[in-house]
């Protein structure tokens, strides 16, 4: 292959290193009003009154919106008023909007709005939410509009339940000689993309609604605003320029709705709403929390015979995408292991926490922590090497998934090969614990993961190709450039197929929903797979059209023609042929007569055979393919104060085929960095009123330069036959195994079993003290 | 609030703007001069996305008032043209979403000028003030070190 696999320089490189790359907030043409939110200071409270009288007097204030009933919003369940009415359900919830001439005026006025609250009892964890008699987050759960496969239970805090029932549990437990059971939990956290979310909205006199937003889902913004407010879908145009990091957090639709309402309140004038960092962390949707209980039974050879799993996902105050995360958690509930007898309940719970959007890995990094810690506990009890236990239970072709999809050599990667390669790259044979001196030890932990992408069964991806007069090609796809470099990879796929120079392919970075063909959402590591398939189809379309004109001019049958280097030529004599620039807009004979026409290539793709899940057993096909990976983390642990340093982190992932080496490494290592931060430090600290105590980047601390370990990445390449050039999704997978591997390393180091995130020294100290007290 | 007309030296140009006393330099650069390279990320100095150079030193422009920049030489990412560190960022894939990139590059640029022979400790001390959420930092480290090597005498 000529272009695939090469570290082709990203198409967005020049503008990104010169400050010329523009993000939503950078667009400022003409007059644009500023919108500022007033947010709830409490987790759960009744709104007694809202006094806007002083705010109204601030010069420049154009509108204040508060206490108004709008249609309820939400995805699987319509449970969320865009602006709170009657009560607030989470700290940070929008309570009022101020629109003013300048950001300063809007802020001044927002600060003068006096809201009186009456505190209500707070639901502060999904476990508490699950208890009988818990305070209710939604009193009228039965009255909400919802999608068919959501099953909220009125009178409880259950937003939905997905069940997996496979095999025979009695048989499984009977065959199990060794049983382990453990519980795990962690609170919600944040994506912390560097660009805070931003949306602008304008309503033109003819009713056209123009929105610009930092979103992974501009096409969903269009659909939902049309649906929520009865607007004509064709009159909504959503623009998304470059997006400054997303990680799932920008897949939910929230600020766009508020900006639309704000614009409407001022007669359609353009309005901008930009999250402050604090709002971005608590007001906009966060990274989901989880309380999990896992029970595994294994026979004397270490084969897992039975598993009983309960996930209580912390969906927060509104269900939004948490319902889908809960479903995804059920679909791959066991981790990448073949378990014949399986029982899993995956609940989406309402709490008084900020609500959840997807987070890179979409339930998999979270459930992997619970599963992989349990695997280590099982290995310990069986007195078995933890990687060996994973190896013998590894999922493989011929096995079925929890939802009973039969796996084959194409739709699942080779986990055993990943484990073998990990052993080598991670020097597994040198042992788990290595003493440095009396105080420090170097300790290793491992884990595995898998993931399919549970996207809508009819999710589309489209591509349009047009020609320039010089024969170069423009590539337009609805994939949003959120940082992953996917659009560069799409250009590589096209260059490979047309055997042309990738520099002669121009990629449109921005998306607008009026002229760009839809790519459902830029989520779930589907950009390369689906966008790539659409590119291949568009390339095929272009090839046929080019050959048609060339065949006529060259007086040769189409099937005697080849395409390479931006030319169509005779197979047996490449010197006879035509350049794209001579046929891209039809061929003009010397006398002026022209044949053919402007060539426009189109390609479109929808995943095949995806189905809904059976409500009682979970049976069904939720996703196209499973990427698998194996991981290791090595730490240096201080036995005196329980602090530790990250030494080395290793991921071996079956990527199918490496499309762009440096970009792929960047995706995997960047995801590992995020996974280590999630595992080791990032969490929301809540007080008893449900307030998030650390909504700033100094108290909520992502990894910084120099705190990172050495990264080692290995690729296994088992082609996925349906993927473009065999590629598998890989954007999320580096992250997923980090919490489990770090948790296992630290548990090994401290000699206590750790069951919570983040893995901070205080957690180790608490576990050590608890173990000490238990033994007294 | 009282406004004031000030003259700033930005990217080698002399610019006169009207600002409020409380306007940050970041706000003025973006809103008054249209220089949107410096990015707002936190507005309290935590993230470094708004880093610029002031008299050759990196400065978080959200932590400085516009009026404080009078008489100083301000350089934003728009003032750099084809510098070694920009080329290194491209080659090493030291950016992904690109949002933190202008701040990181300005910090690196200043670091390379102030410490052409920086060791790991100095690099860490300088660069830990910026957050990149996409890369693993290894790419940025490689970019910085590739320029350091080239700038070594005889190297």
């Amino acid at each position: 292959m000529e272009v695939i696999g090469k570290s082709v320089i990203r198409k967005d490189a020049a503008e990104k290193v010169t400050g010329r790359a523009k993000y939503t907030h950078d667009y400022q043409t003409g007059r644009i009003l500023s919108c500022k939110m007033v947010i709830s200071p409490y987790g759960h409270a009744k709104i007694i009154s809202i006094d806007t009288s002083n705010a109204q007097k601030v010069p420049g204030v154009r509108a204040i919106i508060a206490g108004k009933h709008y249609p309820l919003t939400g995805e699987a369940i319509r449970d969320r008023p865009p602006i709170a009415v009657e009560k607030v359900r989470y700290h940070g919830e929008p309570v009022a909007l101020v629109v003013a001439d300048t950001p300063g005026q809007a802020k001044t006025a927002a600060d003068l709005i006096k809201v009186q609250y009456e505190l209500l009892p707070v639901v502060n964890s999904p476990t508490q939410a699950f208890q009988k008699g818990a305070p209710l987050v939604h009193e009228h759960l039965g009255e909400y509009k919802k999608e068919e496969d959501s099953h909220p239970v009125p009178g409880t805090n259950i937003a939905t339940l997905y069940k997996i029932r496979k095999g025979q549990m009695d048989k499984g437990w009977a065959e199990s000689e060794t049983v382990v059971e453990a519980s795990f939990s962690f609170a919600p956290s944040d994506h912390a993309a560097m660009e805070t979310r931003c949306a602008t909205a304008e309503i033109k006199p003819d009713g056209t609604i123009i929105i610009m937003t930092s979103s992974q889902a501009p096409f969903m913004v269009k659909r939902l605003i049309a649906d929520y407010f009865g607007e004509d879908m064709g009159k909504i145009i959503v623009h998304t320029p470059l997006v400054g990091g997303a990680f799932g957090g920008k897949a939910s639709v929230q600020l766009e709705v508020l900006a639309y309402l704000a614009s409407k309140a001022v007669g359609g004038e353009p309005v901008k709403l930009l999250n402050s960092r604090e709002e971005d962390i608590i007001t906009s949707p966060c990274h989901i929390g989880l309380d999990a209980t896992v029970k595994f039974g294994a026979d004397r050879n270490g084969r897992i015979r039975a598993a009983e799993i309960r996930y209580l996902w912390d969906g927060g105050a509104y269900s939004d995408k948490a319902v889908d995360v809960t479903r995804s958690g059920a679909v791959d509930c066991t981790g990448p292991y073949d378990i014949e007898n399986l029982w899993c309940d995956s609940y989406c719970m309402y709490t008084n926490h900020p609500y959840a959007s997807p987070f890179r890995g979409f339930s998999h990094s979270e459930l992997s922590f619970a599963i992989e810690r349990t695997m280590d506990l099982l290995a310990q009890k069986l007195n078995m090497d933890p990687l060996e236990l994973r190896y013998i239970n590894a999922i493989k072709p011929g096995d079925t998934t929890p939802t009973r999809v039969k796996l084959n050599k194409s739709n699942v990667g080779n986990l055993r090969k990943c484990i073998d390669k990990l052993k080598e790259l991670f020097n597994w044979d040198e042992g788990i614990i290595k003493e440095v001196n009396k105080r420090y030890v170097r300790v290793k932990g491992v884990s595995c993961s898998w993931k399919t992408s549970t996207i809508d069964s009819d999710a589309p991806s489209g591509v349009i190709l047009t020609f320039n007069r010089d024969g170069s090609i423009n590539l337009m796809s609805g994939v949003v450039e959120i940082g992953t470099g996917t659009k560069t990879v799409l250009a590589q796929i096209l260059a490979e197929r047309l055997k042309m120079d990738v520099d002669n392919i121009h990629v449109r970075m921005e998306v607008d929903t009026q002229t760009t063909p839809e790519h459902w959402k830029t989520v779930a590591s589907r950009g390369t797979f689906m966008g790539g398939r659409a590119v291949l189809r568009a390339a095929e379309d272009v090839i046929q059209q080019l050959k048609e004109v060339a065949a006529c001019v060259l007086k040769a049958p189409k099937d005697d023609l080849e395409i390479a280097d931006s030319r169509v030529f005779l197979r047996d004599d490449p010197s006879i042929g035509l350049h794209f620039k001579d046929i891209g807009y039809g061929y003009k004979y010397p006398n002026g007569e022209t044949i053919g026409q402007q060539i426009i290539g189109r390609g479109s793709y929808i995943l095949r055979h995806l189905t809904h899940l059976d409500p009682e057993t979970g049976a069904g096909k939720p996703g196209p393919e499973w990427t698998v990976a194996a991981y290791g983390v090595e730490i240096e642990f201080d036995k005196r104060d329980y602090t530790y340093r990250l030494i080395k982190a290793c991921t071996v992932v079956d990527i199918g085929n490496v499309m762009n080496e440096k970009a792929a490494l960047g995706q995997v290592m960047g995801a590992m960095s995020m996974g280590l931060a999630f595992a080791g430090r990032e969490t929301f600290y809540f007080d008893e009123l449900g307030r998030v105590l650390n909504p700033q980047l100094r108290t909520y601390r992502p990894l910084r330069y120099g705190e990172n370990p050495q990264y080692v990445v290995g690729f296994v390449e088992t082609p996925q036959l349906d993927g473009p050039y065999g590629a598998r999704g890989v954007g999320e997978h580096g992250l997923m195994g980090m919490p489990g591997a770090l948790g296992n390393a630290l548990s090994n180091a401290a000699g206590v079993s750790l069951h919570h995130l983040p893995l901070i020294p205080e957690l180790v100290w608490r576990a050590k003290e608890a173990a000490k007290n238990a033994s007294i | 609030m009282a406004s004031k007309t000030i003259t700033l030296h930005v990217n080698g140009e002399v610019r006169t703007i009207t600002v409020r006393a409380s306007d940050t330099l970041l706000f003025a650069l973006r809103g008054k001069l249209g220089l949107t390279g410096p990015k707002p990320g936190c507005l309290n100095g935590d993230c470094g996305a708004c880093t610029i150079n002031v008299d050759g030193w990196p400065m978080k422009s959200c932590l400085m008032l516009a009026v404080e920049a009078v008489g100083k030489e301000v350089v934003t990412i728009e003032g750099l043209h084809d510098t070694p560190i920009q080329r290194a960022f491209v080659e090493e894939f030291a950016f992904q979403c690109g949002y933190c990139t202008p701040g990181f590059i300005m910090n690196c640029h200043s670091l390379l000028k102030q410490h052409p022979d920086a060791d790991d400790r100095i690099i860490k001390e300088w660069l830990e003030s910026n957050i990149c959420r996409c890369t693993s930092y290894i790419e940025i480290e490689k970019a910085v070190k590739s320029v350091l090597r080239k700038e070594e005498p005889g190297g």
Side-chain angles (χ1 to χ4, degrees):
Chain A
M1 293 211 225
E2 295 289 322
V3 193
I4 298 292
K6 304 281 184 309
S7 296
V8 167
I9 295 295
R10 292 175 53 140
K11 296 278 186 186
D12 48 356
E15 55 176 343
K16 282 186 174 171
V17 300
T18 53
R20 304 293 281 274
K22 281 200 167 183
Y23 303 81
T24 299
H25 180 46
D26 296 335
Y27 287 85
Q28 183 98 23
T29 45
R31 178 185 150 87
I32 187 157
L33 302 173
S34 289
C35 182
K36 181 75 192 166
M37 295 183 273
V38 176
I39 60 176
S40 165
Y42 303 114
H44 200 190
K46 223 156 121 182
I47 299 171
I48 303 298
S49 65
I50 303 178
D51 177 5
T52 62
S53 53
N54 287 333
Q56 299 279 8
K57 292 177 202 151
V58 174
V61 168
R62 307 283 301 278
I64 293 175
I65 308 174
K68 269 184 86 168
H69 285 269
Y70 291 106
L72 292 174
T73 63
E75 298 218 8
I77 305 167
R78 297 279 166 91
D79 55 12
R80 187 177 82 242
I83 301 164
V85 277
E86 288 157 17
K87 74 172 193 171
V88 289
R89 294 183 174 88
Y90 73 96
H91 177 208
E93 182 166 2
V95 176
L97 296 182
V98 179
V99 186
D101 290 340
T102 68
Q105 291 164 339
K107 169 87 167 73
T108 304
D111 290 345
L112 288 171
I113 292 179
K114 296 278 169 276
V115 186
Q116 218 192 330
Y117 297 95
E118 184 185 301
L119 295 178
L120 293 169
V122 172
V123 181
N124 231 339
S125 77
T127 298
Q128 186 199 344
F130 198 63
Q131 281 157 7
K132 278 216 169 75
L136 291 183
V137 179
H138 292 268
E139 296 85 354
H140 308 293
L141 195 49
E143 294 166 24
Y144 296 143
K145 213 172 124 185
K146 63 180 192 64
E147 276 176 10
E148 257 177 49
D149 60 344
S150 308
H151 307 285
V153 183
T156 75
N157 289 310
I158 299 170
T160 208
L161 162 64
Y162 287 101
K163 292 188 254 186
I164 302 288
R165 303 286 184 268
K166 191 183 147 189
Q168 295 168 266
M169 295 314 295
D170 293 353
K171 181 170 161 276
W173 293 124
E175 290 167 3
S176 300
E177 286 183 19
T178 307
V179 174
V180 290
E181 183 173 4
S183 296
F184 304 90
S185 73
F186 47 88
S189 50
D190 194 43
H191 310 78
M194 294 316 296
E195 178 204 26
T196 60
R197 297 164 180 91
C198 182
T200 65
E202 174 179 10
I203 306 167
K204 300 264 195 187
D206 69 353
T208 305
I209 298 163
I210 298 176
I211 290 171
M212 182 181 281
T213 171
S214 55
S215 172
Q216 292 171 265
F219 295 92
M220 197 49 75
V221 171
K222 175 167 107 169
R223 270 164 74 176
L224 288 179
I225 287 185
D227 199 20
Y228 294 155
F229 303 104
E231 299 282 4
D232 290 343
M233 209 179 289
K235 285 200 159 180
I236 304 171
I237 304 170
V238 183
H239 295 263
T240 295
L242 295 170
V243 172
F247 316 115
K250 290 171 180 169
S252 290
V253 178
Q254 182 200 31
L255 288 196
E256 299 86 351
V257 171
L258 299 178
Y260 158 80
L261 293 175
S263 175
K264 216 169 176 180
V266 292
E269 279 195 66
V271 174
K272 177 185 279 185
L273 176 54
L274 167 71
N275 269 352
S276 68
R277 176 56 62 186
E278 292 77 3
E279 289 161 349
D280 209 58
I281 289 180
I282 59 170
T283 298
S284 287
C286 67
H287 172 198
I288 205 161
L290 174 67
D291 290 356
T293 306
V294 180
K295 188 176 166 190
F296 279 172
D299 65 20
R300 67 180 58 183
N301 301 317
R303 277 288 282 143
I304 302 171
R305 304 304 309 158
E308 192 179 306
I309 299 166
R310 193 185 70 186
Y311 295 135
L312 299 176
W313 299 94
D314 190 346
Y318 299 104
S319 60
D320 201 67
K321 295 303 297 173
V323 168
D324 289 343
V325 173
T326 301
R327 180 175 179 271
S328 171
V331 158
D332 288 339
C333 61
T334 52
Y337 307 110
D338 173 37
I339 304 177
E340 199 181 298
N341 306 298
L342 170 63
W343 184 101
C344 171
D345 275 351
S346 187
Y347 287 95
C348 182
M349 300 304 302
Y350 285 117
T351 67
N352 291 116
H353 289 165
Y355 69 98
S357 68
F359 176 80
R360 198 174 196 177
F362 208 63
S363 79
H364 290 70
S365 65
E366 299 84 355
L367 72 86
S368 285
F369 175 65
I371 294 294
E372 295 301 315
R373 284 289 302 118
T374 307
M375 285 298 278
D376 258 35
L377 293 174
L378 182 59
Q380 223 167 37
K381 211 163 171 182
L382 287 163
N383 202 15
M384 206 168 172
D385 178 298
L387 265 184
E388 183 60 22
L389 177 68
R390 286 169 171 88
Y391 188 92
I392 63 172
N393 287 290
I395 198 90
K396 58 190 182 311
D399 298 339
T400 57
T401 72
T403 69
R404 307 185 199 186
V405 176
K406 185 91 185 261
L407 295 170
N408 58 45
K409 277 182 184 158
S410 169
N411 67 8
V412 67
N414 191 333
L415 182 57
R416 287 184 169 173
K417 223 168 159 179
C418 292
I419 292 173
D420 281 338
K421 196 158 186 177
L422 177 75
K423 275 186 187 167
E424 200 184 300
L425 291 174
F426 197 48
N427 300 323
W428 183 243
D429 291 338
E430 72 184 16
I432 291 178
I433 301 182
K434 208 165 55 182
E435 189 141 311
V436 176
N437 56 37
K438 275 206 167 141
R439 187 168 162 189
Y440 295 102
V441 279
R442 289 211 172 182
V443 185
K444 291 174 178 173
V446 291
S447 68
C448 293
S449 82
W450 70 338
K451 180 178 188 288
T452 193
S453 296
T454 53
I455 67 173
D456 281 6
S457 56
D458 60 350
S461 185
V463 160
I464 292 175
L465 303 175
T466 62
F467 280 79
N468 298 303
R469 295 279 179 177
D470 62 358
S472 61
I473 298 179
N474 304 310
L475 191 162
M476 278 149 298
S477 150
V479 171
V480 177
E481 182 46 81
I482 54 177
T484 52
T486 306
K487 285 195 149 164
T488 304
V489 171
L490 294 184
Q492 287 179 259
I493 291 171
L494 182 62
E496 186 71 42
R497 182 68 190 87
L498 296 180
K499 298 183 193 142
M500 67 185 284
D501 187 345
V502 71
D503 288 344
N504 292 329
I505 294 169
H506 306 284
V507 175
R508 179 154 144 214
M509 288 294 163
E510 295 77 15
V511 167
D512 87 73
T513 58
Q514 192 179 37
T515 62
T516 323
E518 176 163 344
H519 177 80
W520 181 63
K521 299 179 191 178
T522 304
V523 295
S525 305
R526 291 300 84 191
T528 299
F529 186 112
M530 294 176 59
R533 284 294 300 268
V535 165
L536 288 175
R537 286 186 174 162
E540 210 53 54
D541 188 23
V542 159
I543 289 169
Q544 289 312 318
Q545 295 182 55
L546 287 165
K547 283 187 175 174
E548 211 152 286
V549 189
C552 189
V553 179
L554 299 173
K555 296 178 185 161
K558 267 167 76 177
D559 45 11
D560 282 3
L561 300 176
E562 289 282 333
I563 286 184
D565 301 324
S566 301
R567 287 177 76 245
V568 189
F569 52 84
L570 294 181
R571 188 185 301 120
D572 67 344
D573 185 357
S575 71
I576 300 174
L578 293 160
H579 194 272
F580 286 178
K581 68 174 187 249
D582 299 320
I583 45 176
Y585 282 77
Y587 179 80
K588 193 171 172 184
Y589 286 97
N591 71 354
E593 205 183 334
T594 302
I595 59 163
Q597 62 277 311
Q598 179 183 170
I599 293 176
I600 300 172
R602 60 193 174 116
S604 191
Y605 184 73
I606 274 187
L607 290 166
R608 67 172 154 82
H609 295 174
L610 299 192
T611 68
H612 299 306
L613 303 181
D614 182 277
E616 287 312 312
T617 66
K621 188 177 178 196
E625 49 111 11
W626 279 259
T627 299
V628 295
Y631 312 83
V633 171
E634 184 177 11
I635 58 170
E636 187 170 279
F637 180 70
D638 183 339
K639 290 192 277 189
R640 196 162 73 184
D641 64 9
Y642 306 152
T643 58
Y644 64 94
R645 208 157 56 84
L646 298 169
I647 302 295
K648 191 195 236 184
C650 188
T651 294
V652 179
V653 57
D654 192 338
I655 190 169
N657 186 7
V658 177
M659 307 299 277
N660 179 320
E661 196 187 3
K662 280 190 184 172
L665 286 171
Q667 281 305 297
V668 176
M669 295 198 305
M672 289 164 79
S673 165
M674 190 171 253
L676 289 169
F678 160 45
R681 47 175 68 196
E682 292 183 17
T683 191
F684 288 167
Y685 291 99
F686 291 99
D687 70 3
E688 70 282 4
L689 298 178
R691 291 181 292 200
V692 179
L693 300 177
N694 56 332
Q696 290 191 317
L697 293 176
R698 64 185 57 180
T699 45
Y700 183 96
R701 280 189 87 260
L703 231 54
R704 286 177 184 268
Y705 184 97
E707 293 173 335
N708 53 285
Q710 178 202 350
Y711 291 103
V712 179
V713 177
F715 291 128
V716 167
E717 294 181 295
T718 310
Q720 201 234 329
L721 301 179
D722 292 333
Y725 298 104
R728 294 177 189 276
V730 80
E732 305 161 281
H733 304 77
L735 194 156
M736 284 153 28
M738 289 297 117
L742 181 59
N744 288 336
L746 196 57
S747 296
N748 290 336
V752 286
S753 184
L754 300 172
H755 295 250
H756 309 281
L757 297 176
L759 296 155
I760 55 174
E762 184 186 328
L763 176 77
V764 177
W765 176 76
R766 283 181 190 281
K768 292 281 255 189
E769 291 300 301
K772 236 188 266 171
N773 292 337
S775 64
I776 291 170
Chain B
M1 199 179 292
S3 291
K4 189 175 158 67
T5 299
I6 58 171
T7 299
L8 297 182
H9 292 248
V10 183
N11 298 335
E13 292 175 9
V14 179
R15 306 285 298 264
T16 300
I17 52 173
T18 303
V19 295
R20 299 184 308 165
S22 61
D23 283 343
T24 61
L25 182 55
L26 173 67
F27 183 82
L29 290 170
R30 291 176 57 88
K32 306 281 175 175
L33 296 176
L35 296 170
T36 55
K39 303 293 183 208
C42 65
L43 302 186
N44 62 5
D46 291 338
C47 79
C50 66
T51 304
I52 58 167
N53 287 176
V54 177
D55 289 341
W57 291 87
M59 181 68 210
K60 291 170 176 170
S61 61
C62 73
L63 293 183
M64 186 170 176
L65 296 174
V67 293
E68 292 179 287
V70 173
K72 297 187 161 66
E73 204 57 56
V74 173
V75 180
T76 70
I77 183 80
E78 288 92 343
L80 299 194
H81 300 285
D82 201 25
T83 58
I85 190 65
Q86 286 170 296
R87 289 199 295 271
F89 262 64
V90 171
E91 285 298 324
E92 298 297 341
F93 283 55
F95 67 89
Q96 285 182 27
C97 83
Y99 198 82
C100 76
T101 311
F104 251 110
I105 288 181
M106 293 315 290
N107 195 353
C108 293
H109 180 72
S110 197
L111 164 66
L112 291 162
K113 294 269 173 237
Q114 302 289 347
H115 297 278
D117 50 358
D119 59 14
D120 281 349
R121 190 187 57 81
I122 293 176
I123 299 175
K124 178 174 187 296
E125 197 175 300
W126 277 60
L127 298 190
E128 68 187 2
S129 68
N130 294 47
I131 299 173
C132 171
R133 190 61 162 167
C134 297
T135 73
S136 69
Y137 295 115
I138 299 288
E139 302 90 335
I140 294 173
E141 182 185 349
K142 278 188 181 167
V144 171
K145 289 185 173 171
S146 74
V147 177
L148 276 177
R149 267 200 305 278
K150 275 176 204 150
E151 291 193 347
E152 269 165 17

